[in-house]
Amino acid sequence: MKKSIEGNNRIAPLIVVSGPSGVGKSTVVARALELNPRLWLSVSVTTRAPRAGEIDGASYSFVSNAQFSQMVESGHMLEWAQYAGNRYGTPSQPVQASRQAGVPVILEIEVQGARQVREQAPDATLVFIAPPSVAELDARLRGRGTEDETALAARLEIAHEELSAMPEFDHVLVNADVSLTATALLELCSDPPE
Ligand code: 5GP
């Protein structure tokens, strides 16, 4: 396990959870947070419209294109990416504050963002959640029913591309069982020993 060191002060781990849309990243992360409420899940900013049941400020911070551009230009994003026609990004300040307070941080983001975090925070641990098979990934994406046909086709194409990024990650967890995957993720989130 890598060590997070800033000056003489140890800062808490930063865990990046990535992988294709539909692989179950959110479910795995939600289960990991239930099992260890001490972890903090970063709230991303997005230009995507809220889905039914999503809460502004909790699921995402939903912003306009202009607001998003302003955050990028003023250097407030740790990373950001364009994904299926919308933009998504991680505000840096809360991530830094949480880590400095000793609270491990989880980012649940797509692959381009994970690459940027690797550049910005080389001590981050990058975890790829993989599907048991490509056929299963397609079935999960279709079964979710949250997108219309055009959006679904775009997400399927991106998901297939994202699978090829797997070797860039520090760890790959195959999500065949949510609780087992969440438990394996928690093992990667524990603070390194003194
Ligand atoms: P969705 O629209 O399904 O909520 O998210 C689409 C994709 O964007 C998912 O792969 C999700 O993990 C990713 N995503 C969510 N927040 C962020 C973020 O802050 N940065 C990046 N790069 N990707 C994100």
Side-chain angles (χ1 to χ4, degrees):
M1 175 69 77
K2 295 170 198 167
K3 292 186 174 177
S4 306
I5 294 180
E6 193 172 81
N8 287 328
N9 296 324
R10 190 172 280 252
I11 63 171
L14 174 60
I15 314 297
V16 178
V17 176
S18 200
S21 181
V23 79
K25 297 190 295 275
S26 312
T27 318
V28 167
V29 167
R31 181 79 187 119
L33 292 171
E34 269 172 24
L35 294 170
N36 184 353
R38 208 179 87 76
L39 303 173
W40 183 69
L41 173 62
S42 163
V43 179
S44 296
V45 176
T46 185
T47 59
R48 165 166 82 56
R51 291 183 188 131
E54 287 186 329
I55 298 165
D56 191 19
S59 318
Y60 281 106
S61 294
F62 296 98
V63 298
S64 66
N65 264 307
Q67 287 170 313
F68 196 98
S69 299
Q70 206 274 329
M71 289 187 79
V72 172
E73 281 153 25
S74 58
H76 283 89
M77 293 295 198
L78 171 63
E79 61 72 37
W80 70 274
Q82 179 94 20
Y83 181 97
N86 295 300
R87 287 185 290 170
Y88 299 79
T90 305
S92 1
Q93 196 277 334
V95 171
Q96 198 54 18
S98 182
R99 298 187 72 194
Q100 274 166 352
V103 177
V105 176
I106 298 191
L107 305 186
E108 190 227 302
I109 62 178
E110 51 69 72
V111 164
Q112 304 167 70
R115 292 189 180 116
Q116 293 167 46
V117 176
R118 170 79 90 205
E119 295 290 314
Q120 299 295 321
D123 66 319
T125 300
L126 269 56
V127 182
F128 191 93
I129 310 283
S133 70
V134 175
E136 176 130 3
L137 180 67
D138 288 2
R140 283 189 201 174
L141 259 174
R142 288 179 191 285
R144 224 162 51 163
T146 48
E147 272 80 32
D148 62 29
E149 269 305 313
T150 317
L152 178 63
R155 278 169 185 258
L156 281 169
E157 193 180 326
I158 301 169
H160 290 186
E161 268 169 40
E162 286 189 312
L163 280 177
S164 63
M166 208 185 308
E168 298 172 40
F169 282 71
D170 298 315
H171 303 274
V172 175
L173 302 177
V174 176
N175 185 24
D177 174 288
V178 171
S179 288
L180 288 180
T181 312
T183 304
L185 176 63
L186 286 175
E187 280 167 24
L188 303 175
C189 294
S190 57
D191 289 294
E194 292 288 329

mmCIF file of all heavy atoms in Angstrom, residues 19-65:
data_model
loop_
_atom_site.group_PDB
_atom_site.id
_atom_site.type_symbol
_atom_site.label_atom_id
_atom_site.label_comp_id
_atom_site.label_asym_id
_atom_site.label_seq_id
_atom_site.Cartn_x
_atom_site.Cartn_y
_atom_site.Cartn_z
ATOM 1 N N GLY A 19 -14.653 2.615 -13.699
ATOM 2 C CA GLY A 19 -15.117 1.436 -14.422
ATOM 3 C C GLY A 19 -16.288 1.851 -15.281
ATOM 4 O O GLY A 19 -16.801 2.956 -15.137
ATOM 5 N N PRO A 20 -16.723 0.985 -16.181
ATOM 6 C CA PRO A 20 -17.769 1.366 -17.124
ATOM 7 C C PRO A 20 -19.117 1.633 -16.459
ATOM 8 O O PRO A 20 -19.434 1.041 -15.427
ATOM 9 C CB PRO A 20 -17.863 0.167 -18.069
ATOM 10 C CG PRO A 20 -17.209 -0.947 -17.352
ATOM 11 C CD PRO A 20 -16.230 -0.377 -16.384
ATOM 12 N N SER A 21 -19.884 2.502 -17.096
ATOM 13 C CA SER A 21 -21.255 2.763 -16.657
ATOM 14 C C SER A 21 -22.018 1.440 -16.660
ATOM 15 O O SER A 21 -21.894 0.654 -17.593
ATOM 16 C CB SER A 21 -21.868 3.759 -17.643
ATOM 17 O OG SER A 21 -23.164 4.093 -17.287
ATOM 18 N N GLY A 22 -22.753 1.169 -15.613
ATOM 19 C CA GLY A 22 -23.557 -0.046 -15.543
ATOM 20 C C GLY A 22 -22.877 -1.186 -14.813
ATOM 21 O O GLY A 22 -23.487 -2.224 -14.569
ATOM 22 N N VAL A 23 -21.619 -0.982 -14.405
ATOM 23 C CA VAL A 23 -20.893 -2.086 -13.766
ATOM 24 C C VAL A 23 -21.296 -2.238 -12.292
ATOM 25 O O VAL A 23 -20.981 -3.248 -11.657
ATOM 26 C CB VAL A 23 -19.361 -1.880 -13.916
ATOM 27 C CG1 VAL A 23 -18.815 -0.880 -12.929
ATOM 28 C CG2 VAL A 23 -18.620 -3.203 -13.836
ATOM 29 N N GLY A 24 -21.974 -1.220 -11.764
ATOM 30 C CA GLY A 24 -22.398 -1.290 -10.359
ATOM 31 C C GLY A 24 -21.491 -0.512 -9.415
ATOM 32 O O GLY A 24 -21.498 -0.765 -8.207
ATOM 33 N N LYS A 25 -20.743 0.463 -9.942
ATOM 34 C CA LYS A 25 -19.839 1.263 -9.082
ATOM 35 C C LYS A 25 -20.598 1.907 -7.913
ATOM 36 O O LYS A 25 -20.173 1.816 -6.776
ATOM 37 C CB LYS A 25 -19.197 2.422 -9.876
ATOM 38 C CG LYS A 25 -18.319 2.043 -11.020
ATOM 39 C CD LYS A 25 -17.568 3.256 -11.551
ATOM 40 C CE LYS A 25 -18.421 4.328 -12.176
ATOM 41 N NZ LYS A 25 -18.777 4.145 -13.592
ATOM 42 N N SER A 26 -21.723 2.548 -8.241
ATOM 43 C CA SER A 26 -22.461 3.279 -7.194
ATOM 44 C C SER A 26 -22.958 2.331 -6.114
ATOM 45 O O SER A 26 -22.895 2.647 -4.926
ATOM 46 C CB SER A 26 -23.690 3.995 -7.751
ATOM 47 O OG SER A 26 -23.352 4.688 -8.884
ATOM 48 N N THR A 27 -23.451 1.173 -6.531
ATOM 49 C CA THR A 27 -23.979 0.213 -5.552
ATOM 50 C C THR A 27 -22.864 -0.313 -4.662
ATOM 51 O O THR A 27 -23.021 -0.442 -3.444
ATOM 52 C CB THR A 27 -24.657 -0.967 -6.297
ATOM 53 O OG1 THR A 27 -25.407 -0.431 -7.377
ATOM 54 C CG2 THR A 27 -25.546 -1.752 -5.399
ATOM 55 N N VAL A 28 -21.717 -0.585 -5.269
ATOM 56 C CA VAL A 28 -20.574 -1.090 -4.492
ATOM 57 C C VAL A 28 -20.110 -0.018 -3.503
ATOM 58 O O VAL A 28 -19.875 -0.297 -2.318
ATOM 59 C CB VAL A 28 -19.415 -1.502 -5.434
ATOM 60 C CG1 VAL A 28 -18.124 -1.712 -4.669
ATOM 61 C CG2 VAL A 28 -19.787 -2.743 -6.223
ATOM 62 N N VAL A 29 -20.017 1.227 -3.986
ATOM 63 C CA VAL A 29 -19.549 2.306 -3.106
ATOM 64 C C VAL A 29 -20.562 2.539 -1.976
ATOM 65 O O VAL A 29 -20.177 2.714 -0.818
ATOM 66 C CB VAL A 29 -19.292 3.596 -3.922
ATOM 67 C CG1 VAL A 29 -19.108 4.791 -3.027
ATOM 68 C CG2 VAL A 29 -18.075 3.406 -4.826
ATOM 69 N N ALA A 30 -21.854 2.516 -2.317
ATOM 70 C CA ALA A 30 -22.889 2.718 -1.278
ATOM 71 C C ALA A 30 -22.777 1.627 -0.211
ATOM 72 O O ALA A 30 -22.879 1.903 0.992
ATOM 73 C CB ALA A 30 -24.272 2.703 -1.914
ATOM 74 N N ARG A 31 -22.533 0.399 -0.630
ATOM 75 C CA ARG A 31 -22.393 -0.710 0.332
ATOM 76 C C ARG A 31 -21.137 -0.517 1.186
ATOM 77 O O ARG A 31 -21.158 -0.735 2.402
ATOM 78 C CB ARG A 31 -22.337 -2.038 -0.437
ATOM 79 C CG ARG A 31 -22.209 -3.253 0.422
ATOM 80 C CD ARG A 31 -23.561 -3.663 1.032
ATOM 81 N NE ARG A 31 -23.406 -4.747 1.981
ATOM 82 C CZ ARG A 31 -23.723 -4.688 3.277
ATOM 83 N NH1 ARG A 31 -24.260 -3.592 3.797
ATOM 84 N NH2 ARG A 31 -23.542 -5.726 4.060
ATOM 85 N N ALA A 32 -20.057 -0.071 0.559
ATOM 86 C CA ALA A 32 -18.808 0.164 1.309
ATOM 87 C C ALA A 32 -19.024 1.248 2.366
ATOM 88 O O ALA A 32 -18.537 1.129 3.491
ATOM 89 C CB ALA A 32 -17.686 0.556 0.344
ATOM 90 N N LEU A 33 -19.811 2.275 2.026
ATOM 91 C CA LEU A 33 -20.076 3.358 2.981
ATOM 92 C C LEU A 33 -20.968 2.887 4.130
ATOM 93 O O LEU A 33 -20.838 3.355 5.247
ATOM 94 C CB LEU A 33 -20.715 4.555 2.278
ATOM 95 C CG LEU A 33 -19.800 5.304 1.304
ATOM 96 C CD1 LEU A 33 -20.589 6.324 0.497
ATOM 97 C CD2 LEU A 33 -18.661 5.999 2.036
ATOM 98 N N GLU A 34 -21.865 1.952 3.818
ATOM 99 C CA GLU A 34 -22.691 1.378 4.900
ATOM 100 C C GLU A 34 -21.800 0.596 5.860
ATOM 101 O O GLU A 34 -21.958 0.661 7.070
ATOM 102 C CB GLU A 34 -23.682 0.359 4.313
ATOM 103 C CG GLU A 34 -25.022 0.919 3.902
ATOM 104 C CD GLU A 34 -25.828 -0.142 3.150
ATOM 105 O OE1 GLU A 34 -25.594 -1.376 3.333
ATOM 106 O OE2 GLU A 34 -26.668 0.280 2.350
ATOM 107 N N LEU A 35 -20.857 -0.130 5.282
ATOM 108 C CA LEU A 35 -19.982 -0.968 6.111
ATOM 109 C C LEU A 35 -18.957 -0.130 6.877
ATOM 110 O O LEU A 35 -18.529 -0.508 7.954
ATOM 111 C CB LEU A 35 -19.254 -2.006 5.234
ATOM 112 C CG LEU A 35 -20.154 -3.061 4.581
ATOM 113 C CD1 LEU A 35 -19.375 -3.868 3.542
ATOM 114 C CD2 LEU A 35 -20.736 -3.996 5.636
ATOM 115 N N ASN A 36 -18.559 0.991 6.311
ATOM 116 C CA ASN A 36 -17.600 1.876 6.994
ATOM 117 C C ASN A 36 -18.001 3.345 6.797
ATOM 118 O O ASN A 36 -17.510 4.008 5.897
ATOM 119 C CB ASN A 36 -16.175 1.644 6.488
ATOM 120 C CG ASN A 36 -15.174 2.497 7.265
ATOM 121 O OD1 ASN A 36 -15.574 3.337 8.080
ATOM 122 N ND2 ASN A 36 -13.898 2.281 7.025
ATOM 123 N N PRO A 37 -18.880 3.859 7.692
ATOM 124 C CA PRO A 37 -19.386 5.225 7.528
ATOM 125 C C PRO A 37 -18.311 6.297 7.732
ATOM 126 O O PRO A 37 -18.572 7.474 7.517
ATOM 127 C CB PRO A 37 -20.464 5.341 8.620
ATOM 128 C CG PRO A 37 -20.729 3.966 9.095
ATOM 129 C CD PRO A 37 -19.501 3.149 8.818
ATOM 130 N N ARG A 38 -17.114 5.903 8.130
ATOM 131 C CA ARG A 38 -16.045 6.886 8.323
ATOM 132 C C ARG A 38 -15.492 7.421 7.000
ATOM 133 O O ARG A 38 -14.888 8.482 6.951
ATOM 134 C CB ARG A 38 -14.900 6.225 9.113
ATOM 135 C CG ARG A 38 -14.083 7.178 9.943
ATOM 136 C CD ARG A 38 -13.015 6.419 10.691
ATOM 137 N NE ARG A 38 -11.791 6.244 9.907
ATOM 138 C CZ ARG A 38 -10.902 7.195 9.692
ATOM 139 N NH1 ARG A 38 -11.072 8.399 10.189
ATOM 140 N NH2 ARG A 38 -9.815 6.959 8.977
ATOM 141 N N LEU A 39 -15.735 6.685 5.920
ATOM 142 C CA LEU A 39 -15.247 7.147 4.617
ATOM 143 C C LEU A 39 -16.114 8.300 4.122
ATOM 144 O O LEU A 39 -17.294 8.363 4.427
ATOM 145 C CB LEU A 39 -15.347 6.017 3.585
ATOM 146 C CG LEU A 39 -14.618 4.739 3.914
ATOM 147 C CD1 LEU A 39 -14.956 3.682 2.880
ATOM 148 C CD2 LEU A 39 -13.131 4.990 3.951
ATOM 149 N N TRP A 40 -15.517 9.181 3.307
ATOM 150 C CA TRP A 40 -16.306 10.282 2.744
ATOM 151 C C TRP A 40 -16.345 10.137 1.223
ATOM 152 O O TRP A 40 -15.290 10.023 0.582
ATOM 153 C CB TRP A 40 -15.707 11.636 3.122
ATOM 154 C CG TRP A 40 -16.545 12.753 2.601
ATOM 155 C CD1 TRP A 40 -17.789 13.097 3.033
ATOM 156 C CD2 TRP A 40 -16.230 13.647 1.520
ATOM 157 N NE1 TRP A 40 -18.261 14.164 2.295
ATOM 158 C CE2 TRP A 40 -17.331 14.522 1.368
ATOM 159 C CE3 TRP A 40 -15.119 13.798 0.682
ATOM 160 C CZ2 TRP A 40 -17.357 15.521 0.405
ATOM 161 C CZ3 TRP A 40 -15.148 14.788 -0.277
ATOM 162 C CH2 TRP A 40 -16.259 15.656 -0.403
ATOM 163 N N LEU A 41 -17.566 10.153 0.675
ATOM 164 C CA LEU A 41 -17.741 10.072 -0.781
ATOM 165 C C LEU A 41 -17.868 11.491 -1.318
ATOM 166 O O LEU A 41 -18.781 12.230 -0.918
ATOM 167 C CB LEU A 41 -18.996 9.262 -1.106
ATOM 168 C CG LEU A 41 -19.404 9.226 -2.580
ATOM 169 C CD1 LEU A 41 -18.330 8.574 -3.450
ATOM 170 C CD2 LEU A 41 -20.740 8.508 -2.743
ATOM 171 N N SER A 42 -16.951 11.857 -2.198
ATOM 172 C CA SER A 42 -16.980 13.187 -2.799
ATOM 173 C C SER A 42 -18.267 13.379 -3.607
ATOM 174 O O SER A 42 -18.716 12.457 -4.287
ATOM 175 C CB SER A 42 -15.751 13.317 -3.708
ATOM 176 O OG SER A 42 -15.906 14.385 -4.594
ATOM 177 N N VAL A 43 -18.852 14.568 -3.508
ATOM 178 C CA VAL A 43 -20.052 14.895 -4.295
ATOM 179 C C VAL A 43 -19.602 15.623 -5.557
ATOM 180 O O VAL A 43 -19.007 16.701 -5.485
ATOM 181 C CB VAL A 43 -21.031 15.782 -3.489
ATOM 182 C CG1 VAL A 43 -22.258 16.131 -4.341
ATOM 183 C CG2 VAL A 43 -21.442 15.088 -2.197
ATOM 184 N N SER A 44 -19.853 15.012 -6.700
ATOM 185 C CA SER A 44 -19.429 15.586 -7.978
ATOM 186 C C SER A 44 -20.369 16.688 -8.432
ATOM 187 O O SER A 44 -21.520 16.762 -8.003
ATOM 188 C CB SER A 44 -19.412 14.500 -9.054
ATOM 189 O OG SER A 44 -18.456 13.519 -8.739
ATOM 190 N N VAL A 45 -19.838 17.515 -9.317
ATOM 191 C CA VAL A 45 -20.629 18.554 -9.963
ATOM 192 C C VAL A 45 -20.942 18.043 -11.373
ATOM 193 O O VAL A 45 -20.076 17.436 -12.003
ATOM 194 C CB VAL A 45 -19.782 19.846 -10.054
ATOM 195 C CG1 VAL A 45 -20.536 20.930 -10.806
ATOM 196 C CG2 VAL A 45 -19.402 20.322 -8.660
ATOM 197 N N THR A 46 -22.160 18.250 -11.832
ATOM 198 C CA THR A 46 -22.485 17.824 -13.204
ATOM 199 C C THR A 46 -23.434 18.785 -13.895
ATOM 200 O O THR A 46 -24.236 19.453 -13.238
ATOM 201 C CB THR A 46 -23.091 16.400 -13.252
ATOM 202 O OG1 THR A 46 -23.276 16.024 -14.626
ATOM 203 C CG2 THR A 46 -24.438 16.316 -12.560
ATOM 204 N N THR A 47 -23.342 18.792 -15.235
ATOM 205 C CA THR A 47 -24.287 19.563 -16.049
ATOM 206 C C THR A 47 -25.461 18.676 -16.485
ATOM 207 O O THR A 47 -26.370 19.160 -17.150
ATOM 208 C CB THR A 47 -23.595 20.126 -17.315
ATOM 209 O OG1 THR A 47 -23.076 19.042 -18.085
ATOM 210 C CG2 THR A 47 -22.468 21.081 -16.954
ATOM 211 N N ARG A 48 -25.410 17.383 -16.148
ATOM 212 C CA ARG A 48 -26.523 16.480 -16.507
ATOM 213 C C ARG A 48 -27.781 16.874 -15.710
ATOM 214 O O ARG A 48 -27.681 17.317 -14.568
ATOM 215 C CB ARG A 48 -26.112 15.035 -16.206
ATOM 216 C CG ARG A 48 -27.271 14.084 -16.204
ATOM 217 C CD ARG A 48 -26.919 12.628 -16.245
ATOM 218 N NE ARG A 48 -26.555 11.942 -15.015
ATOM 219 C CZ ARG A 48 -27.289 11.875 -13.911
ATOM 220 N NH1 ARG A 48 -28.422 12.555 -13.782
ATOM 221 N NH2 ARG A 48 -26.863 11.176 -12.868
ATOM 222 N N ALA A 49 -28.940 16.639 -16.322
ATOM 223 C CA ALA A 49 -30.202 16.898 -15.616
ATOM 224 C C ALA A 49 -30.397 15.843 -14.526
ATOM 225 O O ALA A 49 -30.006 14.690 -14.714
ATOM 226 C CB ALA A 49 -31.351 16.834 -16.610
ATOM 227 N N PRO A 50 -30.982 16.224 -13.400
ATOM 228 C CA PRO A 50 -31.221 15.228 -12.340
ATOM 229 C C PRO A 50 -32.174 14.125 -12.818
ATOM 230 O O PRO A 50 -33.111 14.392 -13.552
ATOM 231 C CB PRO A 50 -31.885 16.040 -11.218
ATOM 232 C CG PRO A 50 -31.666 17.468 -11.546
ATOM 233 C CD PRO A 50 -31.418 17.564 -13.027
ATOM 234 N N ARG A 51 -31.890 12.893 -12.376
ATOM 235 C CA ARG A 51 -32.846 11.798 -12.621
ATOM 236 C C ARG A 51 -33.844 11.794 -11.460
ATOM 237 O O ARG A 51 -33.562 12.361 -10.405
ATOM 238 C CB ARG A 51 -32.110 10.445 -12.610
ATOM 239 C CG ARG A 51 -31.181 10.248 -13.776
ATOM 240 C CD ARG A 51 -30.568 8.831 -13.704
ATOM 241 N NE ARG A 51 -29.524 8.676 -14.700
ATOM 242 C CZ ARG A 51 -28.313 8.184 -14.451
ATOM 243 N NH1 ARG A 51 -27.963 7.784 -13.244
ATOM 244 N NH2 ARG A 51 -27.437 8.070 -15.420
ATOM 245 N N ALA A 52 -34.940 11.078 -11.674
ATOM 246 C CA ALA A 52 -35.946 10.980 -10.606
ATOM 247 C C ALA A 52 -35.268 10.457 -9.334
ATOM 248 O O ALA A 52 -34.512 9.485 -9.390
ATOM 249 C CB ALA A 52 -37.053 10.030 -11.039
ATOM 250 N N GLY A 53 -35.508 11.124 -8.234
ATOM 251 C CA GLY A 53 -34.977 10.663 -6.945
ATOM 252 C C GLY A 53 -33.614 11.220 -6.592
ATOM 253 O O GLY A 53 -33.172 11.110 -5.456
ATOM 254 N N GLU A 54 -32.922 11.829 -7.543
ATOM 255 C CA GLU A 54 -31.614 12.400 -7.231
ATOM 256 C C GLU A 54 -31.780 13.733 -6.497
ATOM 257 O O GLU A 54 -32.653 14.532 -6.834
ATOM 258 C CB GLU A 54 -30.781 12.600 -8.504
ATOM 259 C CG GLU A 54 -30.267 11.287 -9.065
ATOM 260 C CD GLU A 54 -29.325 11.454 -10.252
ATOM 261 O OE1 GLU A 54 -29.487 12.429 -11.021
ATOM 262 O OE2 GLU A 54 -28.452 10.597 -10.429
ATOM 263 N N ILE A 55 -30.930 13.961 -5.519
ATOM 264 C CA ILE A 55 -31.043 15.149 -4.663
ATOM 265 C C ILE A 55 -29.857 16.057 -4.908
ATOM 266 O O ILE A 55 -28.695 15.620 -4.804
ATOM 267 C CB ILE A 55 -31.099 14.722 -3.180
ATOM 268 C CG1 ILE A 55 -32.337 13.858 -2.949
ATOM 269 C CG2 ILE A 55 -31.106 15.938 -2.253
ATOM 270 C CD1 ILE A 55 -32.301 13.090 -1.640
ATOM 271 N N ASP A 56 -30.146 17.318 -5.225
ATOM 272 C CA ASP A 56 -29.079 18.298 -5.484
ATOM 273 C C ASP A 56 -28.247 18.478 -4.212
ATOM 274 O O ASP A 56 -28.788 18.674 -3.129
ATOM 275 C CB ASP A 56 -29.708 19.631 -5.910
ATOM 276 C CG ASP A 56 -28.673 20.598 -6.452
ATOM 277 O OD1 ASP A 56 -27.571 20.157 -6.836
ATOM 278 O OD2 ASP A 56 -28.963 21.804 -6.490
ATOM 279 N N GLY A 57 -26.935 18.359 -4.364
ATOM 280 C CA GLY A 57 -26.038 18.535 -3.223
ATOM 281 C C GLY A 57 -25.705 17.220 -2.533
ATOM 282 O O GLY A 57 -24.780 17.154 -1.722
ATOM 283 N N ALA A 58 -26.463 16.159 -2.840
ATOM 284 C CA ALA A 58 -26.176 14.854 -2.226
ATOM 285 C C ALA A 58 -25.748 13.868 -3.312
ATOM 286 O O ALA A 58 -24.637 13.333 -3.291
ATOM 287 C CB ALA A 58 -27.403 14.342 -1.493
ATOM 288 N N SER A 59 -26.641 13.637 -4.309
ATOM 289 C CA SER A 59 -26.279 12.736 -5.414
ATOM 290 C C SER A 59 -25.181 13.407 -6.234
ATOM 291 O O SER A 59 -24.160 12.803 -6.563
ATOM 292 C CB SER A 59 -27.477 12.488 -6.319
ATOM 293 O OG SER A 59 -28.656 12.297 -5.582
ATOM 294 N N TYR A 60 -25.438 14.621 -6.622
ATOM 295 C CA TYR A 60 -24.538 15.491 -7.389
ATOM 296 C C TYR A 60 -24.877 16.920 -6.992
ATOM 297 O O TYR A 60 -25.956 17.171 -6.447
ATOM 298 C CB TYR A 60 -24.842 15.390 -8.902
ATOM 299 C CG TYR A 60 -24.301 14.186 -9.617
ATOM 300 C CD1 TYR A 60 -25.149 13.147 -9.995
ATOM 301 C CD2 TYR A 60 -22.954 14.101 -9.964
ATOM 302 C CE1 TYR A 60 -24.660 12.040 -10.694
ATOM 303 C CE2 TYR A 60 -22.466 13.003 -10.672
ATOM 304 C CZ TYR A 60 -23.315 11.976 -11.018
ATOM 305 O OH TYR A 60 -22.835 10.889 -11.712
ATOM 306 N N SER A 61 -23.994 17.861 -7.334
ATOM 307 C CA SER A 61 -24.393 19.258 -7.390
ATOM 308 C C SER A 61 -24.712 19.517 -8.858
ATOM 309 O O SER A 61 -23.821 19.369 -9.705
ATOM 310 C CB SER A 61 -23.271 20.183 -6.922
ATOM 311 O OG SER A 61 -23.044 19.962 -5.561
ATOM 312 N N PHE A 62 -25.950 19.839 -9.149
ATOM 313 C CA PHE A 62 -26.378 20.054 -10.535
ATOM 314 C C PHE A 62 -26.186 21.524 -10.882
ATOM 315 O O PHE A 62 -26.721 22.395 -10.187
ATOM 316 C CB PHE A 62 -27.845 19.636 -10.691
ATOM 317 C CG PHE A 62 -28.052 18.166 -10.460
ATOM 318 C CD1 PHE A 62 -28.491 17.693 -9.225
ATOM 319 C CD2 PHE A 62 -27.785 17.236 -11.461
ATOM 320 C CE1 PHE A 62 -28.672 16.334 -8.994
ATOM 321 C CE2 PHE A 62 -27.956 15.872 -11.246
ATOM 322 C CZ PHE A 62 -28.395 15.426 -10.015
ATOM 323 N N VAL A 63 -25.381 21.780 -11.917
ATOM 324 C CA VAL A 63 -25.064 23.164 -12.277
ATOM 325 C C VAL A 63 -25.308 23.395 -13.769
ATOM 326 O O VAL A 63 -25.430 22.444 -14.549
ATOM 327 C CB VAL A 63 -23.584 23.516 -11.946
ATOM 328 C CG1 VAL A 63 -23.310 23.406 -10.451
ATOM 329 C CG2 VAL A 63 -22.615 22.654 -12.747
ATOM 330 N N SER A 64 -25.337 24.671 -14.149
ATOM 331 C CA SER A 64 -25.470 25.026 -15.564
ATOM 332 C C SER A 64 -24.110 24.868 -16.240
ATOM 333 O O SER A 64 -23.074 24.772 -15.561
ATOM 334 C CB SER A 64 -25.930 26.478 -15.679
ATOM 335 O OG SER A 64 -24.898 27.315 -15.191
ATOM 336 N N ASN A 65 -24.113 24.909 -17.581
ATOM 337 C CA ASN A 65 -22.851 24.861 -18.327
ATOM 338 C C ASN A 65 -21.939 26.013 -17.932
ATOM 339 O O ASN A 65 -20.732 25.838 -17.784
ATOM 340 C CB ASN A 65 -23.141 24.927 -19.815
ATOM 341 C CG ASN A 65 -23.176 23.528 -20.395
ATOM 342 O OD1 ASN A 65 -22.240 22.754 -20.222
ATOM 343 N ND2 ASN A 65 -24.265 23.202 -21.057
#
